Amino acid sequence: TVDVVLSKRNSSYTMCSDICALKPNFVLHQELPGLAGLISRADLCIGAGGSTTWERLCLGLPSIIVPVASNQVEVVESLSSHNYVAKIMPSEFYLKLPEMIQRFFDPSVLSDFSERSFSLVDGSGTSRVASYLI
């Protein structure tokens, strides 16, 4: 199953909705209250480089990240250079995406990215910040 999560405000929403309607194994989700359930069931994510990146890392979800805003480029580049995520730039998305997905068909690659994710983000940051402030 391919879960597609997209806001109706996204400029590609109609196109993605039409594609999902044609594919029986594609499920379009919109306006979800949270992503933890989908993330915990997924094997691989293709997503933007925003704040959800940290959720995916915390939950050990191997990810191909596309920085879609200028403030995401440096963070995604750093995460990619340390092999926490795989990076693909928007300009090369359609050209390189099939090759990148193929790379993740290897269970050892998935496992390696997942383990590295857990080593970077442990989900206890809020407690550490609160302790520091108190």
Side-chain angles (χ1 to χ4, degrees):
T1 300
V2 175
D3 290 299
V4 178
V5 180
L6 202 58
S7 168
K8 285 186 176 184
R9 295 180 303 264
N10 188 298
S11 61
S12 299
Y13 180 83
T14 301
M15 178 187 68
C16 289
S17 177
D18 292 345
I19 292 170
C20 289
L22 296 172
K23 303 284 186 180
N25 60 329
F26 280 46
V27 179
L28 178 62
H29 305 272
Q30 69 237 358
E31 315 308 329
L32 293 174
L35 295 173
L38 285 177
I39 290 173
S40 66
R41 291 190 305 271
D43 296 313
L44 176 66
C45 175
I46 302 166
S51 59
T52 308
T53 299
W54 305 107
E55 293 179 66
R56 294 186 299 250
L57 287 166
C58 180
L59 294 171
L61 178 58
S63 299
I64 299 170
I65 304 292
V66 185
V68 296
S70 59
N71 66 327
Q72 297 174 358
V73 174
E74 186 177 345
V75 172
V76 173
E77 182 63 43
S78 179
L79 289 170
S80 175
S81 70
H82 291 92
N83 292 316
Y84 292 112
V85 302
K87 175 195 72 165
I88 187 168
M89 296 304 289
S91 60
E92 45 188 29
F93 185 79
Y94 294 105
L95 181 65
K96 292 190 175 182
L97 184 62
E99 169 190 325
M100 293 187 88
I101 291 172
Q102 185 70 36
R103 176 180 172 202
F104 285 94
F105 282 1
D106 180 341
S108 67
V109 172
L110 282 172
S111 176
D112 189 43
F113 270 83
S114 185
E115 287 175 23
R116 264 194 245 107
S117 295
F118 284 130
S119 74
L120 182 64
V121 181
D122 63 9
S124 298
T126 302
S127 297
R128 283 194 295 278
V129 170
S131 293
Y132 179 78
L133 292 173
I134 293 172

